[in-house]
C-alpha cells in the first residue's frame, strides 16, 4: 500500500532508538523527510543518514526545545505535515517501575509530567501554525495502556499519559475541522531500552521476582501483565500503526486511540 507520504515533512521525538527509531526508518522508507529529535544520536539513526533526515540534538525537558525542533522542520524542509510525539517513559536519570504511590516525590511528579505531557503540549503548540499554513496535518501522540488501565505502580507516569490522551481528544475536537487530525497510539510493554538496558525495567522486576532479566522479558512480564500474545511488543509493530495514522490514507481517523499492546487492554 502506498501511504502517500512521499515529500511530506515529519518531526519525530525520542528518535534515536526503540519506537522512535522504527518510526523514523518507516517514514523515510515511505518517502517522507524527517526531523529526528533526541538528546544524542545513535548508531541506528546514523545508519539512516541522508538528505531527507536531519537530527536535532534536544533535551525535551528544556521548555524551549520542542519549539526549536519544530522550527528546524520549517528551516530545513519548508514546513511541517506530521508530528509524532514519541518521547516519553522515564525522564533522564530515572528508572522505572516504582511500586508504590508513596515512592515518587513532588519533583518526580514534575519531571514525569514535563517529559511525558508538557513536552508534547509545547511541540503541538509550535506545530499547529505550520500545519495550518499547509492546509492540515497529522499529530500522533504515543501514550500507554496504563492511561486507561492503571496498575498500582508508576502512578505519576500513568497520570501523565492519561493527560496526554485527554489532550489528544481536545485537540482533535478543535482542529479536525481545520484539517489537523490528532490520534493516540497506546502501547503495552515494548521491547525497547526501557526494558533491555542495564538497570532498566527488566532488571528491577527481576530483583523483585528473584529471577533473571531474560526470564522477565520472555515470561514474567507477559504473564504479570496478562499479555494475550504472550510476548512484548516489537517496535516496528508500533511504527507501522503510526505511519498509517500519519498517512492521508487515514483521512477520516481522528480523536482515536489505537492499542498496540499485545492484548494488555481488556476493556470493551
Amino acid at each position: 500500500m502506498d501511504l502517500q507520504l512521499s515529500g511530506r515533512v515529519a518531526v519525530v521525538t525520542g528518535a534515536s532508538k526503540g519506537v522512535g527509531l522504527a518510526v523514523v526508518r518507516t517514514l523515510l522508507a515511505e518517502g517522507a523527510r524527517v526531523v529526528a529529535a533526541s538528546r544524542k544520536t545513535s548508531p541506528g539513526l546514523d545508519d539512516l543518514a541522508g538528505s531527507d533526515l536531519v537530527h536535532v540534538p534536544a533535551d525535551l525537558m528544556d521548555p524551549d526545545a520542542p519549539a526549536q525542533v519544530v522550527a528546524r522542520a520549517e528551516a530545513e524542509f519548508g514546513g511541517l505535515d506530521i508530528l509524532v510525539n514519541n518521547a516519553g517513559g522515564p525522564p533522564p536519570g530515572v528508572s522505572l517501575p516504582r511500586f508504590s504511590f508513596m515512592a515518587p516525590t513532588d519533583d518526580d511528579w514534575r519531571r514525569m509530567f514535563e517529559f511525558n505531557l508538557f513536552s508534547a503540549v509545547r511541540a503541538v503548540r509550535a506545530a499547529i501554525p505550520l500545519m495550518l499554513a499547509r492546509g492540515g496535518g497529522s499529530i500522533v501522540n504515543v501514550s500507554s495502556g496504563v492511561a486507561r488501565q492503571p496498575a498500582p505502580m508508576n502512578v505519576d507516569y500513568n497520570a501523565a499519559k492519561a493527560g496526554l490522551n485527554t489532550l489528544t481528544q481536545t485537540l482533535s475536537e478543535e482542529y479536525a475541522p481545520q484539517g489537523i487530525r490528532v490520534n493516540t497510539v497506546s502501547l503495552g510493554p515494548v521491547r525497547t531500552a526501557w526494558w533491555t538496558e542495564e538497570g532498566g525495567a527488566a532488571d528491577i522486576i527481576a530483583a523483585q521476582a528473584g529471577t533473571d532479566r531474560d526470564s522477565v522479558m520472555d515470561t514474567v512480564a507477559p504473564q504479570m501483565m496478562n499479555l494475550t500474545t504472550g510476548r512484548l511488543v516489537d517496535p516496528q509493530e508500533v511504527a507501522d500503526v503510526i505511519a498509517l495514522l500519519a498517512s492521508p490514507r487515514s483521512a477520516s481517523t481522528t480523536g482515536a486511540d489505537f492499542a498496540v499492546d499485545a492484548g494488555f487492554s481488556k476493556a470493551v
Side-chain angles (χ1 to χ4, degrees), residues 170-196:
T170 302
L171 290 169
S172 177
E173 284 295 306
E174 181 170 357
Y175 288 102
Q178 300 175 67
I180 299 177
R181 299 180 297 105
V182 191
N183 294 287
T184 302
V185 176
S186 288
L187 310 186
V190 184
R191 192 178 281 264
T192 63
W194 181 349
W195 285 85
T196 61

Side-chain angles (χ1 to χ4, degrees), residues 5-74:
L5 292 174
S6 181
R8 295 182 185 267
V9 180
V11 165
V12 181
T13 66
S16 64
K17 54 190 176 182
V19 170
L21 180 60
V23 171
V24 171
R25 184 184 298 113
T26 302
L27 294 179
L28 287 172
E30 292 292 332
R33 295 173 289 176
V34 181
V35 173
S38 59
R39 282 177 292 153
K40 56 185 179 180
T41 189
S42 66
L45 197 56
D46 292 342
D47 287 344
L48 300 175
S51 60
D52 289 335
L53 175 64
V54 173
H55 176 250
V56 180
D59 180 358
L60 296 180
M61 298 291 284
D62 177 354
D64 295 328
Q68 292 168 354
V69 171
V70 171
R72 283 293 297 276
E74 183 176 32

